Amino acid sequence: MENQIKLLISEEKNTITAEELAFFEAEGIAVSFCGKDGAIVSQEIEKLSPDVVLLDMFMTRTDAVGVLKSFQDKDEKPLFIVASSFDSDVLQKEVMSMGASYFVLKPYSARSLAVSVAQLYRTRNTPAVALRKDESSIELTVTQILHQIGVPAHIKGYHYLRDSIIMCVRTPDIINAVTKRLYPSVANKYETTASRVERAIRHAIEVAWDRGDVDVLNSYFGYTIHNGRGKPTNSEFIAMISDKLRLERKSAS
């Protein structure tokens, strides 16, 4: 297959089933393995020039942070994803500051990870104007924004936020009926309740405010993080991002 995404995983091949590999193949991803040895991972990156590398946080000789550090100043480097069985905001912030683009908790869903790899890589390599013009690319643009802001992809609120923003881009007036229309619509998709959607989104925003880059947050939310008000409400967060996207798409059309 042409234009496949080359993914290098720091695991032994026998840890991934044929069914799981099929999820990656379906997303146009060619997978190779190199084991949990950070020194070997670095060698394989130089040798294979993968597009994306899935690093296990804790490896022999050199851990994920060490690998990230060794490629931090290089112009040509892959997109790094770090996987860990240990959930820590401090750990996430450290690997993200070292250049990782994504943090995922183990055990992860191979199907979800394959989709995320494809979205992250193709979003990074697609011109922003093209993203705005193509209606089918809204999801990719929103995914990129949420990662920039610092919303962790492994929490439920991330998915609820993404769908809420997409709905508001396509149907602007739904933001005026958050509790009556927006939350129930998202809840229906995920077979949960509107109140759980509201709580999960609020939690996702709190996490982003705790670990996010202030400059990035300020570029999207301006005064809300500098005048003592703290984080925006759910509806403010969704409205600000969806409004920004709509304006950019309109100016690009």
Side-chain angles (χ1 to χ4, degrees):
M1 180 185 296
E2 295 184 359
N3 301 319
Q4 278 193 316
I5 300 170
K6 294 186 293 182
L7 171 65
L8 177 65
I9 301 179
S10 63
E11 295 276 2
E12 297 298 336
K13 187 174 182 178
N14 59 12
T15 62
I16 306 294
T17 68
E19 182 181 8
E20 289 172 329
L21 279 176
F23 294 138
F24 290 97
E25 292 172 0
E27 295 294 333
I29 301 170
V31 181
S32 56
F33 302 87
C34 60
K36 293 184 182 181
D37 184 320
I40 293 178
V41 171
S42 294
Q43 293 172 8
E44 290 298 293
I45 292 173
E46 297 284 2
K47 176 183 175 181
L48 301 175
S49 297
D51 299 307
V52 184
V53 178
L54 176 60
L55 295 171
D56 195 280
M57 182 64 228
F58 304 106
M59 300 180 288
T60 58
R61 290 204 277 183
T62 305
D63 62 10
V65 172
V67 174
L68 289 168
K69 189 177 296 184
S70 67
F71 285 89
Q72 197 170 32
D73 297 325
K74 296 190 177 183
D75 294 329
E76 297 294 328
K77 57 187 175 183
L79 182 156
F80 287 102
I81 298 172
V82 176
S84 174
S85 56
F86 179 63
D87 186 13
S88 164
D89 286 343
V90 173
L91 184 63
Q92 290 182 43
K93 186 175 291 186
E94 181 179 12
V95 297
M96 299 299 277
S97 69
M98 294 301 300
S101 298
Y102 194 70
F103 184 92
V104 60
L105 280 177
K106 299 173 67 176
Y108 49 75
S109 161
R111 185 197 298 270
S112 297
L113 181 62
V115 172
S116 296
V117 168
Q119 288 179 341
L120 285 171
Y121 182 75
R122 288 168 179 149
T123 299
R124 186 189 72 169
N125 289 276
T126 304
V129 172
L131 282 173
R132 294 174 193 137
K133 287 182 178 179
D134 183 1
E135 185 67 21
S136 66
S137 67
I138 295 176
E139 183 173 348
L140 298 180
T141 308
V142 174
T143 296
Q144 184 181 50
I145 289 172
L146 291 180
H147 282 295
Q148 289 174 343
I149 289 173
V151 180
H154 66 276
I155 61 177
K156 291 181 180 179
Y158 167 89
H159 301 284
Y160 300 163
L161 259 179
R162 185 177 61 184
D163 284 9
S164 296
I165 293 167
I166 292 170
M167 288 181 189
C168 287
V169 171
R170 293 174 173 162
T171 312
D173 65 343
I174 200 172
I175 195 63
N176 298 317
V178 172
T179 57
K180 292 184 178 180
R181 292 177 58 196
L182 183 59
Y183 291 158
S185 296
V186 175
N188 183 60
K189 177 178 178 179
Y190 290 94
E191 298 182 349
T192 185
T193 65
S195 61
R196 288 176 179 172
V197 168
E198 186 277 330
R199 287 196 300 270
I201 288 177
R202 176 156 33 91
H203 171 67
I205 294 172
E206 289 171 352
V207 173
W209 241 248
D210 180 59
R211 60 172 272 191
D213 185 293
V214 172
D215 291 333
V216 174
L217 292 171
N218 188 47
S219 70
Y220 284 101
F221 303 100
Y223 73 92
T224 55
I225 62 172
H226 289 303
N227 69 349
R229 289 186 58 199
K231 63 181 176 56
T233 64
N234 289 9
S235 57
E236 284 177 332
F237 188 102
I238 295 165
M240 288 179 183
I241 295 180
S242 59
D243 284 348
K244 184 178 178 71
L245 274 173
R246 275 200 309 276
L247 290 172
E248 289 180 347
R249 288 166 59 83
K250 185 176 180 180
S251 64
S253 60

